[in-house]
Amino acid sequence: MATITEMNETVEMRIGKETYSLPVVTGTYNEKGIDISQLLSQTKHVTLDTGFKNTGSTMSSITFIDGAKGILQHRGYPIEQLADQATFTELMLLLLNGELPTQQELSTFEDNLKAHVGLKGGLKRLLDAMPENTHPMCMLSVMVNALPGFYRANLDSWSDEQVRWDSIYFILANLPVMTAYIYRHHHRLAYIDPDPSLGYVENFLYMMFGEVDEDVADALDALLVLHGDHEQNCSAATVRVAGSSHVNLFSAIGAGVNALWGPLHGGANQAVLEMLEAIREDGGDVERYINKAKDKDDPFRLMGFGHRVYKNYDPRARVIKKYVDRVLGKLGKEDPVVDIAKGLEKAALADDYFSSRKLFPNVDFYSGIIYRAMGIPVDMFTVMFALGRLPGWISQWAEMRTNNEPIGRPRQVYIGPATRDYVPIDQR
Ligand code: CMC
Protein backbone atom coordinates (compact mmCIF):
# COMPACT_ATOMS: atom_id res chain seq x y z
CA MET A 1 0.00 0.00 0.00
CA ALA A 2 1.22 3.56 -0.74
CA THR A 3 0.51 6.68 1.35
CA ILE A 4 1.51 10.27 0.52
CA THR A 5 2.17 13.02 3.09
CA GLU A 6 3.19 16.58 2.21
CA MET A 7 6.39 17.87 3.90
CA ASN A 8 7.34 21.46 2.99
CA GLU A 9 8.34 21.33 -0.66
CA THR A 10 8.59 17.56 -0.88
CA VAL A 11 6.08 14.84 -0.27
CA GLU A 12 6.89 11.45 1.13
CA MET A 13 5.52 8.37 -0.49
CA ARG A 14 5.58 5.08 1.31
CA ILE A 15 5.45 1.88 -0.70
CA GLY A 16 5.59 -1.18 1.54
CA LYS A 17 8.41 -0.48 4.00
CA GLU A 18 10.28 2.00 1.76
CA THR A 19 9.75 5.79 1.96
CA TYR A 20 10.53 7.96 -1.06
CA SER A 21 10.83 11.72 -1.15
CA LEU A 22 9.22 13.45 -4.13
CA PRO A 23 9.82 17.13 -4.95
CA VAL A 24 6.84 19.49 -5.14
CA VAL A 25 6.74 22.30 -7.70
CA THR A 26 4.68 25.44 -7.07
CA GLY A 27 2.96 27.56 -9.69
CA THR A 28 2.33 31.33 -9.82
CA TYR A 29 -0.90 30.99 -7.82
CA ASN A 30 0.51 28.44 -5.40
CA GLU A 31 -0.78 25.44 -7.34
CA LYS A 32 1.17 22.36 -6.32
CA GLY A 33 2.49 19.63 -8.54
CA ILE A 34 4.21 16.47 -7.28
CA ASP A 35 7.19 15.84 -9.54
CA ILE A 36 7.12 12.13 -10.31
CA SER A 37 9.66 12.22 -13.13
CA GLN A 38 12.02 9.88 -11.17
CA LEU A 39 9.25 7.68 -9.77
CA LEU A 40 9.74 4.68 -12.04
CA SER A 41 13.51 4.52 -11.66
CA GLN A 42 13.28 4.99 -7.86
CA THR A 43 10.24 2.91 -7.01
CA LYS A 44 9.53 0.65 -10.02
CA HIS A 45 6.00 2.11 -9.99
CA VAL A 46 4.23 4.27 -12.55
CA THR A 47 1.18 6.44 -11.88
CA LEU A 48 -2.13 5.56 -13.50
CA ASP A 49 -4.37 8.42 -14.63
CA THR A 50 -6.62 7.59 -17.59
CA GLY A 51 -7.52 10.75 -19.50
CA PHE A 52 -4.73 12.62 -17.63
CA LYS A 53 -7.33 14.04 -15.25
CA ASN A 54 -4.72 14.72 -12.54
CA THR A 55 -1.51 14.78 -14.53
CA GLY A 56 0.43 17.94 -15.33
CA SER A 57 2.38 17.37 -18.53
CA THR A 58 4.42 20.57 -18.45
CA MET A 59 5.18 23.80 -16.57
CA SER A 60 3.73 26.46 -18.82
CA SER A 61 3.72 30.25 -18.76
CA ILE A 62 1.10 30.83 -21.47
CA THR A 63 -2.38 30.35 -20.01
CA PHE A 64 -3.75 30.10 -16.48
CA ILE A 65 -7.13 28.59 -15.62
CA ASP A 66 -8.72 28.41 -12.18
CA GLY A 67 -11.58 26.06 -12.97
CA ALA A 68 -13.21 26.37 -9.55
CA LYS A 69 -13.38 30.17 -9.75
CA GLY A 70 -14.03 30.37 -13.51
CA ILE A 71 -10.84 32.36 -14.25
CA LEU A 72 -8.97 32.33 -17.57
CA GLN A 73 -5.88 34.45 -18.23
CA HIS A 74 -3.33 34.59 -21.03
CA ARG A 75 0.15 35.67 -19.92
CA GLY A 76 -1.57 37.19 -16.86
CA TYR A 77 -4.24 39.18 -18.74
CA PRO A 78 -7.88 38.30 -17.91
CA ILE A 79 -9.82 36.93 -20.89
CA GLU A 80 -12.66 39.43 -20.31
CA GLN A 81 -10.24 42.36 -20.87
CA LEU A 82 -8.64 40.72 -23.89
CA ALA A 83 -12.01 39.92 -25.51
CA ASP A 84 -13.24 43.49 -25.01
CA GLN A 85 -10.05 45.39 -25.83
CA ALA A 86 -7.45 43.34 -27.73
CA THR A 87 -7.56 42.43 -31.40
CA PHE A 88 -6.94 38.86 -32.54
CA THR A 89 -3.57 39.75 -34.10
CA GLU A 90 -2.55 41.46 -30.84
CA LEU A 91 -3.50 38.28 -28.97
CA MET A 92 -1.38 36.22 -31.37
CA LEU A 93 1.71 38.21 -30.42
CA LEU A 94 0.84 38.12 -26.74
CA LEU A 95 0.56 34.32 -26.86
CA LEU A 96 3.65 33.86 -29.01
CA ASN A 97 5.99 36.36 -27.34
CA GLY A 98 4.63 36.68 -23.83
CA GLU A 99 4.04 40.45 -23.91
CA LEU A 100 1.49 42.78 -25.47
CA PRO A 101 3.04 44.29 -28.62
CA THR A 102 3.75 47.97 -29.16
CA GLN A 103 1.97 49.60 -32.12
CA GLN A 104 5.18 49.29 -34.15
CA GLU A 105 5.59 45.59 -33.30
CA LEU A 106 1.96 44.91 -34.17
CA SER A 107 2.19 46.74 -37.51
CA THR A 108 5.36 44.83 -38.46
CA PHE A 109 3.70 41.54 -37.48
CA GLU A 110 0.57 42.30 -39.50
CA ASP A 111 2.75 43.28 -42.50
CA ASN A 112 4.58 39.97 -42.19
CA LEU A 113 1.28 38.08 -42.12
CA LYS A 114 0.12 39.91 -45.25
CA ALA A 115 3.40 39.14 -47.01
CA HIS A 116 2.79 35.40 -46.42
CA VAL A 117 -0.84 35.26 -47.63
CA GLY A 118 -1.37 33.02 -50.65
CA LEU A 119 -1.60 29.29 -51.33
CA LYS A 120 0.07 27.40 -54.13
CA GLY A 121 -2.27 26.34 -56.95
CA GLY A 122 -1.63 22.68 -56.19
CA LEU A 123 -3.28 23.05 -52.79
CA LYS A 124 -6.40 24.49 -54.41
CA ARG A 125 -6.44 21.57 -56.83
CA LEU A 126 -6.12 19.19 -53.89
CA LEU A 127 -9.19 20.79 -52.33
CA ASP A 128 -11.01 20.70 -55.68
CA ALA A 129 -10.37 16.95 -55.83
CA MET A 130 -12.34 16.36 -52.63
CA PRO A 131 -16.10 15.71 -52.84
CA GLU A 132 -17.98 18.93 -51.99
CA ASN A 133 -19.93 17.15 -49.26
CA THR A 134 -16.73 16.19 -47.37
CA HIS A 135 -16.88 17.48 -43.79
CA PRO A 136 -15.02 20.85 -43.63
CA MET A 137 -12.80 19.58 -40.79
CA CYS A 138 -11.66 16.72 -43.02
CA MET A 139 -10.88 19.24 -45.76
CA LEU A 140 -8.92 21.36 -43.26
CA SER A 141 -7.02 18.34 -42.05
CA VAL A 142 -6.09 17.37 -45.62
CA MET A 143 -4.91 20.87 -46.48
CA VAL A 144 -2.86 21.43 -43.32
CA ASN A 145 -1.33 17.97 -43.51
CA ALA A 146 -0.44 18.56 -47.18
CA LEU A 147 1.52 21.75 -46.41
CA PRO A 148 4.88 20.00 -45.79
CA GLY A 149 4.62 18.59 -49.31
CA PHE A 150 4.13 22.00 -50.88
CA TYR A 151 6.50 24.01 -48.66
CA ARG A 152 9.44 21.69 -48.27
CA ALA A 153 11.78 24.43 -47.04
CA ASN A 154 9.78 24.46 -43.79
CA LEU A 155 10.30 20.76 -43.05
CA ASP A 156 12.68 21.59 -40.21
CA SER A 157 10.64 24.38 -38.72
CA TRP A 158 12.65 24.77 -35.53
CA SER A 159 16.45 24.88 -35.94
CA ASP A 160 16.67 28.08 -37.95
CA GLU A 161 14.93 31.09 -36.39
CA GLN A 162 14.06 32.64 -39.73
CA VAL A 163 12.52 29.39 -41.07
CA ARG A 164 10.66 29.00 -37.77
CA TRP A 165 9.06 32.41 -38.06
CA ASP A 166 8.43 31.86 -41.76
CA SER A 167 6.46 28.69 -40.85
CA ILE A 168 4.56 30.54 -38.12
CA TYR A 169 3.68 33.51 -40.36
CA PHE A 170 2.74 31.19 -43.18
CA ILE A 171 0.26 29.06 -41.30
CA LEU A 172 -1.25 32.00 -39.39
CA ALA A 173 -1.62 33.95 -42.64
CA ASN A 174 -3.13 31.07 -44.58
CA LEU A 175 -5.48 29.29 -42.22
CA PRO A 176 -8.11 31.99 -42.98
CA VAL A 177 -7.49 31.44 -46.71
CA MET A 178 -7.93 27.67 -46.33
CA THR A 179 -11.06 28.16 -44.21
CA ALA A 180 -12.65 30.48 -46.77
CA TYR A 181 -11.71 28.21 -49.67
CA ILE A 182 -13.14 25.19 -47.82
CA TYR A 183 -16.41 27.04 -47.28
CA ARG A 184 -16.59 28.04 -50.93
CA HIS A 185 -15.68 24.58 -52.23
CA HIS A 186 -18.23 23.01 -49.86
CA HIS A 187 -20.91 25.30 -51.31
CA ARG A 188 -19.72 25.04 -54.94
CA LEU A 189 -18.79 28.75 -55.03
CA ALA A 190 -15.81 30.28 -56.87
CA TYR A 191 -12.77 31.09 -54.70
CA ILE A 192 -12.20 34.76 -53.86
CA ASP A 193 -8.57 35.87 -53.83
CA PRO A 194 -7.31 37.57 -50.66
CA ASP A 195 -7.28 41.39 -50.58
CA PRO A 196 -3.95 42.50 -49.04
CA SER A 197 -5.35 45.93 -48.19
CA LEU A 198 -7.70 44.40 -45.59
CA GLY A 199 -6.99 43.44 -41.99
CA TYR A 200 -6.76 39.80 -40.85
CA VAL A 201 -10.40 39.24 -39.90
CA GLU A 202 -11.81 41.54 -42.61
CA ASN A 203 -9.82 39.71 -45.28
CA PHE A 204 -11.16 36.39 -44.01
CA LEU A 205 -14.76 37.63 -44.23
CA TYR A 206 -14.07 39.06 -47.68
CA MET A 207 -12.74 35.70 -48.94
CA MET A 208 -15.78 33.95 -47.41
CA PHE A 209 -18.59 36.24 -48.52
CA GLY A 210 -17.12 38.80 -50.96
CA GLU A 211 -18.07 41.64 -48.59
CA VAL A 212 -17.23 42.80 -45.10
CA ASP A 213 -19.66 43.99 -42.45
CA GLU A 214 -17.71 45.89 -39.77
CA ASP A 215 -20.05 44.79 -36.97
CA VAL A 216 -19.60 41.18 -37.98
CA ALA A 217 -15.82 41.68 -38.21
CA ASP A 218 -15.71 43.17 -34.68
CA ALA A 219 -17.76 40.35 -33.19
CA LEU A 220 -15.74 37.69 -35.02
CA ASP A 221 -12.49 39.26 -33.83
CA ALA A 222 -13.72 38.94 -30.24
CA LEU A 223 -14.86 35.33 -30.81
CA LEU A 224 -11.44 34.41 -32.17
CA VAL A 225 -9.75 36.05 -29.18
CA LEU A 226 -11.96 33.97 -26.87
CA HIS A 227 -10.76 30.77 -28.56
CA GLY A 228 -7.05 31.76 -28.69
CA ASP A 229 -5.66 29.26 -26.20
CA HIS A 230 -6.86 27.05 -23.38
CA GLU A 231 -3.74 25.46 -21.89
CA GLN A 232 -3.35 21.66 -22.03
CA ASN A 233 -6.65 20.69 -23.66
CA CYS A 234 -7.02 17.65 -25.95
CA SER A 235 -5.84 19.35 -29.18
CA ALA A 236 -3.07 21.46 -27.59
CA ALA A 237 -1.75 18.39 -25.76
CA THR A 238 -1.88 16.55 -29.11
CA VAL A 239 0.09 19.33 -30.82
CA ARG A 240 2.70 19.22 -28.06
CA VAL A 241 2.99 15.42 -28.09
CA ALA A 242 3.13 15.24 -31.90
CA GLY A 243 5.64 18.12 -31.99
CA SER A 244 7.77 16.45 -29.29
CA SER A 245 8.83 13.92 -31.95
CA HIS A 246 10.39 16.97 -33.69
CA VAL A 247 8.00 16.68 -36.62
CA ASN A 248 7.54 19.98 -38.50
CA LEU A 249 5.11 22.65 -37.25
CA PHE A 250 2.54 22.05 -40.01
CA SER A 251 2.25 18.35 -39.17
CA ALA A 252 2.01 19.04 -35.43
CA ILE A 253 -0.83 21.50 -36.15
CA GLY A 254 -2.44 18.90 -38.44
CA ALA A 255 -2.54 16.51 -35.47
CA GLY A 256 -4.22 19.23 -33.41
CA VAL A 257 -6.84 19.79 -36.13
CA ASN A 258 -7.81 16.12 -36.00
CA ALA A 259 -8.01 16.10 -32.21
CA LEU A 260 -10.19 19.22 -32.25
CA TRP A 261 -12.77 17.71 -34.58
CA GLY A 262 -14.38 15.33 -32.06
CA PRO A 263 -17.74 16.27 -30.50
CA LEU A 264 -16.33 16.15 -26.96
CA HIS A 265 -13.86 18.91 -27.90
CA GLY A 266 -14.12 21.50 -30.71
CA GLY A 267 -16.84 19.55 -32.51
CA ALA A 268 -19.17 20.43 -29.65
CA ASN A 269 -20.14 23.78 -31.22
CA GLN A 270 -21.64 21.96 -34.21
CA ALA A 271 -23.21 19.37 -31.91
CA VAL A 272 -24.84 22.15 -29.80
CA LEU A 273 -26.54 23.77 -32.78
CA GLU A 274 -27.70 20.39 -34.08
CA MET A 275 -29.05 19.58 -30.61
CA LEU A 276 -30.89 22.92 -30.35
CA GLU A 277 -32.37 22.44 -33.81
CA ALA A 278 -33.47 18.89 -32.94
CA ILE A 279 -35.18 20.17 -29.76
CA ARG A 280 -36.91 22.91 -31.76
CA GLU A 281 -38.13 20.45 -34.41
CA ASP A 282 -39.33 18.18 -31.63
CA GLY A 283 -41.62 20.90 -30.25
CA GLY A 284 -39.15 22.75 -27.97
CA ASP A 285 -39.77 20.65 -24.84
CA VAL A 286 -36.66 21.62 -22.86
CA GLU A 287 -37.56 19.52 -19.78
CA ARG A 288 -37.69 16.32 -21.84
CA TYR A 289 -34.11 16.87 -23.02
CA ILE A 290 -32.89 17.77 -19.55
CA ASN A 291 -34.32 14.44 -18.38
CA LYS A 292 -32.69 12.59 -21.28
CA ALA A 293 -29.30 14.14 -20.35
CA LYS A 294 -29.74 12.93 -16.76
CA ASP A 295 -30.77 9.40 -17.76
CA LYS A 296 -27.71 7.12 -17.55
CA ASP A 297 -29.34 4.65 -19.96
CA ASP A 298 -29.72 7.35 -22.60
CA PRO A 299 -26.54 8.25 -24.53
CA PHE A 300 -27.80 11.85 -24.95
CA ARG A 301 -25.63 14.49 -23.27
CA LEU A 302 -26.37 18.17 -23.01
CA MET A 303 -23.85 19.39 -25.57
CA GLY A 304 -22.11 22.65 -24.64
CA PHE A 305 -22.42 21.77 -20.96
CA GLY A 306 -19.70 20.57 -18.63
CA HIS A 307 -15.95 20.92 -18.79
CA ARG A 308 -12.95 18.95 -17.60
CA VAL A 309 -11.43 21.98 -15.89
CA TYR A 310 -14.23 24.49 -15.23
CA LYS A 311 -16.36 23.58 -12.27
CA ASN A 312 -17.96 27.00 -12.52
CA TYR A 313 -19.35 29.09 -15.38
CA ASP A 314 -16.83 29.06 -18.27
CA PRO A 315 -15.69 32.72 -18.43
CA ARG A 316 -15.62 32.52 -22.24
CA ALA A 317 -19.28 31.46 -22.28
CA ARG A 318 -20.13 34.48 -20.11
CA VAL A 319 -18.51 36.86 -22.63
CA ILE A 320 -20.05 35.06 -25.64
CA LYS A 321 -23.52 35.16 -24.09
CA LYS A 322 -23.19 38.97 -23.96
CA TYR A 323 -22.40 39.00 -27.68
CA VAL A 324 -25.39 36.82 -28.69
CA ASP A 325 -28.03 39.51 -28.15
CA ARG A 326 -25.64 42.26 -29.32
CA VAL A 327 -24.76 40.53 -32.62
CA LEU A 328 -28.27 39.31 -33.39
CA GLY A 329 -29.61 42.80 -32.60
CA LYS A 330 -27.01 44.57 -34.76
CA LEU A 331 -27.58 42.19 -37.66
CA GLY A 332 -31.35 42.47 -37.23
CA LYS A 333 -31.61 38.67 -36.96
CA GLU A 334 -33.78 36.51 -34.78
CA ASP A 335 -33.01 32.88 -34.09
CA PRO A 336 -35.64 30.66 -32.49
CA VAL A 337 -32.97 28.44 -30.95
CA VAL A 338 -31.76 31.34 -28.75
CA ASP A 339 -34.82 30.95 -26.53
CA ILE A 340 -34.35 27.18 -26.44
CA ALA A 341 -30.69 27.65 -25.43
CA LYS A 342 -31.60 30.12 -22.68
CA GLY A 343 -34.40 27.82 -21.50
CA LEU A 344 -32.04 24.83 -21.37
CA GLU A 345 -29.45 26.81 -19.45
CA LYS A 346 -32.02 28.05 -16.92
CA ALA A 347 -33.48 24.58 -16.41
CA ALA A 348 -30.06 22.95 -16.10
CA LEU A 349 -28.70 25.51 -13.64
CA ALA A 350 -31.75 24.97 -11.43
CA ASP A 351 -31.43 21.17 -11.57
CA ASP A 352 -29.60 19.23 -8.87
CA TYR A 353 -28.08 16.75 -11.40
CA PHE A 354 -26.18 19.58 -13.13
CA SER A 355 -25.40 21.70 -10.05
CA SER A 356 -24.11 18.76 -7.98
CA ARG A 357 -21.77 17.78 -10.84
CA LYS A 358 -20.84 21.42 -11.41
CA LEU A 359 -21.93 21.34 -15.05
CA PHE A 360 -22.20 24.83 -16.53
CA PRO A 361 -22.40 26.16 -20.11
CA ASN A 362 -19.02 26.06 -21.84
CA VAL A 363 -17.58 28.14 -24.70
CA ASP A 364 -19.48 26.11 -27.29
CA PHE A 365 -22.95 26.60 -25.88
CA TYR A 366 -23.59 30.03 -27.42
CA SER A 367 -20.79 30.46 -30.01
CA GLY A 368 -22.66 28.55 -32.74
CA ILE A 369 -25.65 30.88 -32.50
CA ILE A 370 -23.36 33.83 -33.29
CA TYR A 371 -21.55 32.00 -36.10
CA ARG A 372 -24.87 31.12 -37.67
CA ALA A 373 -26.08 34.74 -37.44
CA MET A 374 -22.89 35.71 -39.30
CA GLY A 375 -23.85 33.37 -42.15
CA ILE A 376 -21.35 30.65 -41.25
CA PRO A 377 -22.90 27.19 -41.78
CA VAL A 378 -23.09 24.76 -38.87
CA ASP A 379 -20.59 22.24 -40.24
CA MET A 380 -17.98 25.03 -40.53
CA PHE A 381 -18.14 25.87 -36.80
CA THR A 382 -15.28 23.61 -35.76
CA VAL A 383 -13.09 25.04 -38.53
CA MET A 384 -13.81 28.46 -37.00
CA PHE A 385 -12.68 27.07 -33.64
CA ALA A 386 -9.43 25.91 -35.30
CA LEU A 387 -8.90 29.39 -36.76
CA GLY A 388 -9.16 30.89 -33.29
CA ARG A 389 -7.08 28.20 -31.58
CA LEU A 390 -4.18 28.28 -34.05
CA PRO A 391 -2.05 30.89 -32.20
CA GLY A 392 -2.49 28.86 -29.00
CA TRP A 393 -1.37 25.64 -30.70
CA ILE A 394 1.69 27.38 -32.15
CA SER A 395 2.58 28.94 -28.78
CA GLN A 396 2.23 25.59 -27.01
CA TRP A 397 4.43 23.95 -29.67
CA ALA A 398 7.05 26.71 -29.42
CA GLU A 399 7.11 26.53 -25.61
CA MET A 400 7.56 22.75 -25.76
CA ARG A 401 10.48 23.10 -28.21
CA THR A 402 12.02 26.01 -26.28
CA ASN A 403 11.92 23.94 -23.06
CA ASN A 404 13.53 21.09 -25.00
CA GLU A 405 10.90 18.77 -23.59
CA PRO A 406 11.45 15.04 -24.17
CA ILE A 407 9.30 13.03 -26.55
CA GLY A 408 5.78 12.48 -25.16
CA ARG A 409 5.46 8.81 -24.34
CA PRO A 410 3.06 7.72 -21.58
CA ARG A 411 3.45 4.45 -19.68
CA GLN A 412 0.75 1.87 -19.08
CA VAL A 413 -0.14 -0.95 -16.74
CA TYR A 414 -0.40 -4.08 -18.88
CA ILE A 415 -3.38 -6.31 -18.03
CA GLY A 416 -3.42 -8.64 -21.08
CA PRO A 417 -2.52 -12.35 -21.16
CA ALA A 418 0.79 -13.49 -19.68
CA THR A 419 3.31 -15.32 -21.89
CA ARG A 420 1.84 -18.25 -23.82
CA ASP A 421 3.00 -20.39 -26.73
CA TYR A 422 1.88 -19.85 -30.28
CA VAL A 423 -0.71 -22.42 -31.42
CA PRO A 424 -0.60 -23.40 -35.12
CA ILE A 425 -3.80 -22.46 -36.96
CA ASP A 426 -4.91 -26.07 -37.60
CA GLN A 427 -4.75 -26.84 -33.85
CA ARG A 428 -6.95 -23.92 -32.61
N1 CMC B 1 -24.63 16.24 -20.02
C1 CMC B 1 -25.02 15.37 -19.08
N2 CMC B 1 -24.19 14.86 -18.13
C2 CMC B 1 -22.91 15.25 -18.17
C3 CMC B 1 -22.42 16.15 -19.14
C4 CMC B 1 -23.34 16.66 -20.09
N3 CMC B 1 -22.94 17.52 -21.03
N4 CMC B 1 -21.10 16.37 -18.95
C5 CMC B 1 -20.76 15.61 -17.90
N5 CMC B 1 -21.85 14.94 -17.42
C6 CMC B 1 -21.89 14.05 -16.24
C7 CMC B 1 -21.26 12.70 -16.56
O1 CMC B 1 -22.24 11.78 -17.01
C8 CMC B 1 -20.68 12.33 -15.21
O2 CMC B 1 -21.76 11.90 -14.37
P1 CMC B 1 -21.50 10.74 -13.26
O3 CMC B 1 -20.50 11.33 -12.30
O4 CMC B 1 -22.86 10.50 -12.65
O5 CMC B 1 -20.98 9.56 -14.03
C9 CMC B 1 -20.21 13.66 -14.62
O6 CMC B 1 -21.05 14.66 -15.23
C10 CMC B 1 -18.73 13.98 -14.93
O7 CMC B 1 -18.56 13.93 -16.35
P2 CMC B 1 -17.27 13.33 -17.08
O8 CMC B 1 -17.68 12.87 -18.44
O9 CMC B 1 -16.61 12.34 -16.17
O10 CMC B 1 -16.35 14.62 -17.17
P3 CMC B 1 -15.11 14.80 -18.14
O11 CMC B 1 -14.24 15.84 -17.50
O12 CMC B 1 -14.49 13.49 -18.48
O13 CMC B 1 -15.77 15.37 -19.49
C11 CMC B 1 -16.68 16.88 -21.10
C12 CMC B 1 -15.83 16.74 -19.81
C13 CMC B 1 -16.58 18.31 -21.60
C14 CMC B 1 -16.13 15.92 -22.17
C15 CMC B 1 -18.15 16.52 -20.76
O14 CMC B 1 -18.66 17.42 -19.80
C16 CMC B 1 -19.04 16.51 -22.02
O15 CMC B 1 -19.13 15.47 -22.70
N6 CMC B 1 -19.71 17.67 -22.33
C17 CMC B 1 -20.47 17.76 -23.57
C18 CMC B 1 -19.54 18.01 -24.75
C19 CMC B 1 -19.01 19.44 -24.77
O16 CMC B 1 -19.75 20.40 -24.59
N7 CMC B 1 -17.71 19.55 -25.04
C20 CMC B 1 -17.05 20.88 -25.18
C21 CMC B 1 -16.03 21.12 -24.10
S1 CMC B 1 -15.57 22.85 -24.03
C22 CMC B 1 -14.76 23.12 -25.51
C23 CMC B 1 -13.42 22.53 -25.50
O17 CMC B 1 -12.55 22.97 -24.74
O18 CMC B 1 -13.21 21.62 -26.33
Side-chain angles (χ1 to χ4, degrees):
M1 206 185 89
T3 50
I4 296 180
T5 23
E6 189 174 345
M7 290 182 48
N8 300 323
E9 292 309 298
T10 57
V11 293
E12 287 194 344
M13 175 186 250
R14 198 156 56 80
I15 302 177
K17 292 198 171 74
E18 295 292 329
T19 301
Y20 302 92
S21 187
L22 300 171
V24 173
V25 294
T26 305
T28 303
Y29 293 102
N30 212 29
E31 328 86 277
K32 303 284 184 188
I34 302 170
D35 179 351
I36 56 150
S37 52
Q38 304 305 316
L39 192 71
L40 180 62
S41 60
Q42 286 179 2
T43 72
K44 307 278 182 282
H45 284 65
V46 297
T47 54
L48 181 63
D49 184 20
T50 317
F52 312 122
K53 290 194 176 196
N54 302 285
T55 297
S57 58
T58 190
M59 293 176 73
S60 179
S61 56
I62 303 172
T63 292
F64 171 74
I65 298 176
D66 183 329
K69 295 192 180 133
I71 291 173
L72 168 63
Q73 300 175 348
H74 298 309
R75 307 284 192 188
Y77 296 100
I79 191 62
E80 294 82 0
Q81 291 181 23
L82 293 169
D84 273 355
Q85 297 173 57
T87 64
F88 187 45
T89 47
E90 221 180 329
L91 180 86
M92 290 178 187
L93 274 181
L94 174 66
L95 291 173
L96 288 166
N97 292 341
E99 295 299 334
L100 286 169
T102 62
Q103 184 57 58
Q104 181 59 47
E105 286 164 345
L106 184 60
S107 303
T108 308
F109 178 70
E110 288 176 344
D111 288 347
N112 276 322
L113 290 180
K114 284 181 181 174
H116 283 76
V117 171
L119 291 177
K120 286 189 178 161
L123 270 165
K124 287 189 202 167
R125 290 197 294 281
L126 186 66
L127 185 59
D128 287 338
M130 298 188 77
E132 284 96 349
N133 63 0
T134 305
H135 192 284
M137 279 301 278
C138 176
M139 295 194 202
L140 183 68
S141 172
V142 166
M143 292 191 88
V144 172
N145 281 296
L147 290 178
F150 288 88
Y151 300 92
R152 294 181 58 83
N154 301 57
L155 270 181
D156 175 359
S157 35
W158 185 255
S159 314
D160 182 291
E161 197 175 344
Q162 204 175 331
V163 179
R164 186 187 320 158
W165 274 100
D166 185 61
S167 305
I168 293 173
Y169 289 134
F170 179 84
I171 194 155
L172 281 172
N174 285 295
L175 212 73
V177 184
M178 291 182 221
T179 304
Y181 285 2
I182 287 167
Y183 163 74
R184 298 200 63 91
H185 177 59
H186 198 39
H187 292 269
R188 299 182 169 84
L189 300 165
Y191 300 134
I192 299 175
D193 287 334
D195 178 346
S197 70
L198 296 173
Y200 191 86
V201 173
E202 286 81 2
N203 196 19
F204 165 68
L205 289 171
Y206 173 71
M207 289 183 285
M208 288 279 286
F209 305 120
E211 58 183 20
V212 183
D213 178 309
E214 277 312 317
D215 288 334
V216 172
D218 284 350
L220 181 56
D221 203 289
L223 270 185
L224 294 173
V225 167
L226 285 171
H227 285 84
D229 188 56
H230 212 230
E231 51 117 306
Q232 308 311 316
N233 55 82
C234 177
S235 58
T238 301
V239 169
R240 282 183 92 122
V241 171
S244 74
S245 72
H246 294 190
V247 74
N248 66 82
L249 172 65
F250 300 153
S251 299
I253 298 296
V257 168
N258 291 329
L260 186 74
W261 188 2
L264 298 191
H265 189 14
N269 52 15
Q270 174 176 348
V272 170
L273 233 287
E274 287 167 352
M275 173 188 78
L276 295 175
E277 275 301 342
I279 299 176
R280 187 179 69 85
E281 279 165 24
D282 197 23
D285 185 352
V286 163
E287 273 312 318
R288 195 165 93 76
Y289 283 85
I290 291 282
N291 288 333
K292 271 165 77 63
K294 288 157 54 175
D295 181 354
K296 292 287 168 204
D297 296 326
D298 189 327
F300 177 79
R301 277 197 161 194
L302 199 53
M303 299 312 287
F305 253 75
H307 198 276
R308 170 62 58 79
V309 181
Y310 293 118
K311 301 302 167 199
N312 199 324
Y313 213 102
D314 180 339
R316 302 167 300 171
R318 211 185 287 283
V319 178
I320 289 181
K321 197 177 168 188
K322 254 185 8 197
Y323 275 92
V324 170
D325 294 329
R326 209 188 287 175
V327 172
L328 263 62
K330 267 185 184 168
L331 296 177
K333 296 207 171 160
E334 281 182 19
D335 192 332
V337 301
V338 174
D339 287 340
I340 293 177
K342 288 184 177 168
L344 268 181
E345 180 188 339
K346 200 170 162 210
L349 293 182
D351 192 297
D352 184 55
Y353 174 95
F354 292 91
S355 55
S356 64
R357 288 171 179 76
K358 299 190 166 42
L359 301 171
F360 294 88
N362 60 49
V363 67
D364 292 317
F365 195 65
Y366 286 107
S367 62
I369 294 171
I370 304 186
Y371 287 140
R372 187 155 80 165
M374 290 172 174
I376 297 167
V378 176
D379 56 6
M380 286 290 296
F381 288 179
T382 313
V383 181
M384 298 303 298
F385 194 146
L387 195 57
R389 185 52 56 85
L390 182 62
W393 285 337
I394 300 172
S395 308
Q396 297 286 344
W397 168 82
E399 183 179 69
M400 179 273 304
R401 292 302 306 261
T402 305
N403 292 350
N404 208 10
E405 291 178 11
I407 188 165
R409 206 298 186 187
R411 294 281 177 163
Q412 65 166 15
V413 175
Y414 175 72
I415 54 166
T419 313
R420 47 186 171 165
D421 287 327
Y422 177 80
V423 181
I425 197 159
D426 57 353
Q427 292 172 31
R428 285 176 220 159

